[in-house]
């Protein structure tokens, strides 16, 4: 890696002030797992990194509001959400997603904020958070704003964040009777990045689906909601015929890309299978979300 | 703005130390160049293989992806600290007894991970062992023997053994 | 090792340049990928080896790929002749056999 300066501010305001929005060579560093890969590969050579590690506890806590929303600080390591009793109770699908995200060492260091801001389409957390209707709090020089995770991710490694805006918290709304599931589909070794991710969250009335969010990732340029597939599911009971139309709709609308993990035509077939499986798994998830 | 070295203080294998470190150096480079500790070595350099595993505040991390400056104030343990020179701790001992390696390149990483695993799960089942070690690669594919070794170490630890002298 | 070659290890080339020259893109088997194995020794005599002995290292790997290819043929009736024998290769062969070939994109 080429030499750079590292500053470790003690407050959020200071951190934001240290990031020059017009200088692409100055960036925030949280766990550093994604940035280190980029710096080692030579695709990013910063002049200065602004470490978020000393900013303090409020930034790395997991809590529940009185309304039952789960609030996760952006500097929370992924291993903390994997092992948090609150996350397990509130949104077990998140804790379960963690167990197959990369490995123990990366999860000990990588943060929730980094997993969102990096915007690599292969990441496992964004599709799950979008399916659960999560949002983030963002702080910049002119104050605070909120934004749905769905709006945060705008493209391939692209977000709606200004260079000097930081994510401070993630809010996951109280799930009530919502059931959710996420499938990470790998085509190489089991510990690989996903070739395809499918997240589903839905509410049922009796045996029919009242509302649903279906999100596809990894095979697309960003985690993307499948609106046509959702429409095909809502108001129906999830029998084989419905699931086939849901899967076909997802395959029709998802813009699937080829890479070393598989051709686009193969990933479309994976989506056809896993869209249906994920819906079924969500419906079968008891007392919240499993899978 | 300065790319110059700065001074950090941390505990290394139980001993308080002070060292100068450049912001762009990672933990593996730092331990090798300033402390002559070569047990954590870089193989993939991408967080995927575990050869560079060290424990920071009790948690295993990939030294290849961890900035050395971030060790400031931390407690760091490397494979060199498992047992006194000339002795083996019980995980090392179990790896030998089970033949849990061929070339040995991956072994320090697997041993450090196993140590952290046994702290979290003193009596792990096969699935827990595999899930915990999924980020460690062994090209010799000694995986079945590694799983056996971890189980043996867990058994011996329960029985109160501390290793071979 | 041969299990890796058989199941997923593929060198991708672009004009002679390797495009997946890292362990992030060239996947080798991890601890979840290696199934339980049983070893069986087959008695044999190698006339030009010392005391009739034969090396056992790589020799033991030759059988892996054909064994898995045979298992695939036995299970679903397609014969794969190119490594890796991954799921996409199997689906492609099945579709070709049904005259509904998978697209090239
Ligand atoms: C070997 C390996 C395998 C992996 N496999 C997977 C996988 O299978 N699935 C998966 O989902 N992920 C995987 N990851 C990715 C991992 O999840 C990310 O590297 C990690 O989440 C990034 O977090 P970080 O804190 O380390 O970010 P950093 O590297 O510190 O930062 C990443 C980016 O986010 C920005 N950033 C960080 N925090 C904030 C914030 N609070 N506000 C605004 N911007 C911020 C930084 O400026 C930088 O641009 C893998 C990583 C490695 C190294
Ligand atoms: S060298 Fe660090 S994980 Fe491979
Ligand atoms: S023993 Fe050779 S790599 Fe593991």
């Amino acid at each position: 890696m080429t030499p750079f300066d590292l500053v470790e501010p003690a407050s959020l305001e200071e951190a934001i002030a240290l990031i020059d929005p017009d200088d692409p060579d100055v960036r925030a560093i949280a766990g550093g797992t994604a940035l280190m890969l980029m710096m080692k590969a030579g695709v990013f050579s910063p002049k200065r990194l602004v470490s978020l590690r000393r900013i303090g506890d409020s930034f790395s806590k997991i809590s529940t509001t009185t309304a039952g929303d789960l609030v996760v600080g952006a500097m929370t390591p992924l291993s903390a959400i994997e092992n948090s009793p609150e996350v397990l109770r509130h949104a077990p699908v998140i804790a379960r997603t963690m167990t197959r995200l990369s490995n123990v060492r990366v999860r000990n260091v990588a943060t929730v904020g980094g997993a969102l801001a990096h915007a690599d389409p292969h990441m496992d957390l964004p599709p799950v958070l979008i399916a659960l209707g999560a949002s983030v709090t963002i702080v910049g020089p002119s104050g605070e704003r909120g934004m749905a995770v769905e709006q945060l991710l705008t493209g391939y490694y692209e977000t709606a964040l200004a260079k000097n805006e930081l994510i401070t918290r993630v809010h996951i709304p109280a799930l009530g009777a919502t059931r959710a599931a996420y499938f990470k589909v790998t085509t190489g070794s089991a510990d690989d990045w996903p070739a395809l991710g499918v997240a589903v969250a839905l509410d049922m009335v009796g045996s029919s689906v009242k509302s649903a969010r279906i999100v596809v990732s990894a095979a697309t340029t960003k985690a993307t909601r499948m609106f046509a597939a959702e429409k095909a599911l809502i108001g129906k009971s999830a029998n084989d015929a419905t699931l086939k139309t849901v899967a076909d709709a997802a395959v029709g609308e998802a813009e699937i890309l080829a890479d070393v993990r598989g051709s686009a035509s193969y990933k479309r077939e994976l989506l056809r299978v896993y869209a249906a499986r994920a819906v079924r798994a969500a419906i079968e998830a008891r007392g919240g979300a499993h899978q | 703005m300065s790319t110059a070295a700065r001074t950090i203080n941390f505990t290394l294998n139980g001993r308080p130390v002070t060292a100068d470190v450049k912001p762009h150096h990672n933990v593996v480079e730092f331990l090798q160049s300033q402390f002559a500790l070569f047990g954590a070595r870089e193989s993939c350099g991408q967080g995927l293989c575990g050869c560079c595993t060290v424990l920071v505040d009790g948690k295993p991390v990939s030294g290849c992806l961890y900035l050395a400056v971030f060790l400031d104030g931390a407690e760091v343990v490397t494979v060199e600290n498992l047992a006194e020179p000339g002795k083996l701790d019980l995980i090392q001992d179990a790896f030998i007894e089970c033949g849990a390696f061929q070339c040995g390149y991956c072994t320090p990483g697997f041993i450090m991970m196993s140590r952290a695993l046994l702290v979290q799960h003193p009596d792990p089942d096969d699935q827990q062992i595999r899930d915990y070690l999924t980020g460690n690669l062994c090209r010799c594919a000694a995986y079945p023997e590694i799983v056996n070794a971890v189980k043996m170490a867990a058994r011996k630890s329960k029985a109160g053994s501390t290793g071979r002298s | 090792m041969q299990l890796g070659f058989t199941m997923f290890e593929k060198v991708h080339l672009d004009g002679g340049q390797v495009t997946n020259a890292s362990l992030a893109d060239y996947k080798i088997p991890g601890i979840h990928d290696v199934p339980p194995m049983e070893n069986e020794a087959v008695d044999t005599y190698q006339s030009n080896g010392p005391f009739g002995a034969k090396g056992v290292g790589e020799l033991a790997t030759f059988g892996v790929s054909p064994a898995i290819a045979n298992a695939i043929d036995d299970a679903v009736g397609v014969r794969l002749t190119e490594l890796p024998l991954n799921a996409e290769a199997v689906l492609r062969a099945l579709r070709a056999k049904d005259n509904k070939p998978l697209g090239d994109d």
Side-chain angles (χ1 to χ4, degrees):
Chain A
M1 296 193 297
T2 52
F4 53 79
D5 181 30
L6 181 95
V7 284
E8 304 192 82
S11 77
L12 197 58
E13 294 68 33
E14 226 184 303
I16 290 164
L18 282 163
I19 303 174
D20 177 351
D22 298 320
D23 189 345
D25 295 333
V26 177
R27 256 207 229 184
I29 180 167
T33 57
L35 281 180
M36 293 280 282
L37 286 182
M38 291 169 65
M39 294 190 290
K40 287 182 136 188
V43 295
F44 178 54
S45 305
K47 274 201 308 243
R48 169 197 280 172
L49 293 178
V50 178
S51 168
L52 306 179
R53 297 166 68 93
R54 295 203 198 275
I55 289 180
D57 274 0
S58 63
F59 211 31
S60 56
K61 258 198 333 225
I62 301 174
S63 58
T64 326
T65 67
T66 42
D69 297 358
L70 187 67
V71 182
V72 180
M75 282 297 286
T76 308
L78 299 180
S79 58
I81 56 175
E82 174 183 359
N83 297 310
S84 150
E86 263 162 323
V87 174
L88 256 180
R89 202 174 330 113
H90 184 93
V93 65
I94 295 179
R96 287 195 54 126
T97 299
M98 288 307 115
T99 60
R100 278 201 67 204
L101 187 155
S102 187
N103 59 53
V104 172
R105 292 182 312 280
V106 169
R107 297 199 294 273
N108 278 339
V109 177
T111 64
V112 171
L116 287 169
H118 191 49
D120 178 336
H122 297 90
M123 292 175 124
D124 295 299
L125 193 56
V128 176
L129 290 180
I130 293 173
L132 298 179
S135 60
V136 287
T137 302
I138 298 167
V139 175
S142 52
E144 203 174 89
R145 62 183 177 134
M147 187 186 285
V149 174
E150 193 180 343
Q151 262 76 55
L152 175 73
L153 301 168
T154 51
Y156 192 67
Y157 291 93
E158 280 172 16
T159 67
L161 293 174
K163 288 240 169 322
N164 55 352
E165 281 186 315
L166 295 173
I167 300 170
T168 53
R169 293 186 294 276
V170 181
H171 304 252
I172 298 132
L175 293 186
T178 303
R179 301 130 180 257
Y182 172 68
F183 276 89
K184 170 177 187 151
V185 187
T186 53
T187 54
S189 60
D191 62 325
D192 194 7
W193 291 84
L196 170 75
V198 186
V200 173
L202 45 78
D203 281 289
M204 307 284 291
V205 184
S207 66
S208 86
V209 177
K210 192 173 91 189
S211 63
R213 279 168 172 252
I214 302 176
V215 186
V216 168
S217 61
T220 46
T221 54
K222 62 179 180 110
T224 311
R225 269 184 71 185
M226 300 285 105
F227 291 106
E230 291 172 6
K231 204 162 150 235
L233 182 60
I234 292 167
K236 309 268 170 44
S237 88
N239 53 32
D240 288 354
T242 308
L243 289 182
K244 186 173 181 314
T245 52
V246 169
D248 288 346
V251 170
E253 70 187 305
E255 290 176 34
I256 303 283
L257 304 172
D259 65 9
V260 294
R261 293 178 184 83
S263 67
S265 357
Y266 178 61
K267 290 190 211 170
R268 278 191 284 274
E269 296 313 307
L270 288 179
L271 177 57
R272 207 184 297 284
V273 172
Y274 281 96
R277 278 192 200 172
V279 170
R280 202 165 264 138
I283 290 172
E284 283 164 9
R286 293 262 151 222
H290 281 290
Q291 227 2 274
Chain B
M1 168 136 13
S2 159
T3 58
R6 58 211 55 201
T7 306
I8 62 170
N9 298 293
F10 62 105
T11 310
L12 179 59
N13 292 334
R15 204 162 47 91
V17 292
T18 298
D20 290 337
V21 57
K22 297 239 172 153
H24 68 287
H25 279 174
N26 69 40
V27 167
V28 176
E29 294 169 306
F30 176 62
L31 293 176
Q32 294 192 346
S33 64
Q34 304 216 21
F35 294 95
L37 293 172
F38 295 95
R41 62 288 288 271
E42 195 161 311
S43 175
C44 73
Q46 298 181 296
L48 291 161
C49 73
C51 288
C52 61
T53 303
V54 297
L55 304 183
V56 175
D57 293 329
K59 295 199 174 103
V61 307
S62 282
C64 69
L65 288 188
Y66 204 90
L67 287 180
V69 276
F70 288 168
L71 295 182
D72 196 16
E75 209 163 292
V76 180
V77 174
T78 69
V79 70
E80 286 85 354
N81 192 48
L82 288 188
E84 300 164 36
K87 296 193 174 179
L88 295 173
D89 99 316
L90 61 86
I91 301 174
Q92 293 170 312
D93 203 21
F95 268 63
I96 293 175
E97 252 185 79
C98 294
F101 45 77
Q102 286 173 43
C103 75
Y105 195 84
C106 67
T107 311
F110 270 101
I111 287 179
M112 292 305 280
M113 289 297 288
S114 304
R115 177 162 157 140
L117 163 69
L118 291 176
V119 171
Q120 208 178 327
H121 304 286
D123 196 9
D125 60 26
D126 280 41
Q127 188 65 31
Q128 280 170 322
I129 296 171
R130 285 178 199 274
D131 284 348
Y132 206 88
L133 299 180
T134 179
N136 287 61
L137 295 175
C138 174
R139 188 46 158 169
C140 304
Y143 301 120
E145 292 78 13
I146 290 169
V147 174
N148 291 342
V150 174
K151 287 200 284 199
M152 176 183 283
R155 269 197 315 275
K156 288 196 172 172
S157 152
K158 255 203 318 212
S161 158
T162 54
R164 182 162 34 170
S165 49
Chain C
M1 197 170 80
Q2 192 61 29
L3 189 73
F5 293 154
T6 306
M7 302 307 290
F8 13 80
E9 291 176 34
K10 181 171 180 172
V11 177
H12 291 266
L13 295 168
D14 181 7
Q17 190 76 30
V18 177
T19 58
N20 62 334
S22 88
L23 286 171
D25 291 332
Y26 180 88
K27 300 310 292 185
I28 67 171
I31 200 162
H32 282 302
D33 302 301
V34 175
M37 283 189 223
E38 277 175 36
N39 301 315
E40 222 169 288
V42 179
D43 276 350
T44 180
Y45 187 87
Q46 175 87 3
S47 59
N48 54 359
F51 313 110
K54 197 171 174 71
V56 291
E58 290 186 357
L59 195 71
T61 68
F62 300 154
V64 177
S65 307
I68 294 175
N70 285 346
I72 291 169
D73 191 359
D74 186 45
V76 293
V78 292
R79 169 59 58 186
L80 299 181
T81 54
E82 202 182 312
L83 298 180
L85 307 175
N86 58 23
E88 174 162 355
V90 175
L91 184 67
R92 282 192 177 277
L94 283 169
R95 285 296 186 79
K97 192 176 152 197
D98 282 352
N99 269 325
K100 287 184 233 152
L102 213 55
D104 288 328
D105 64 332

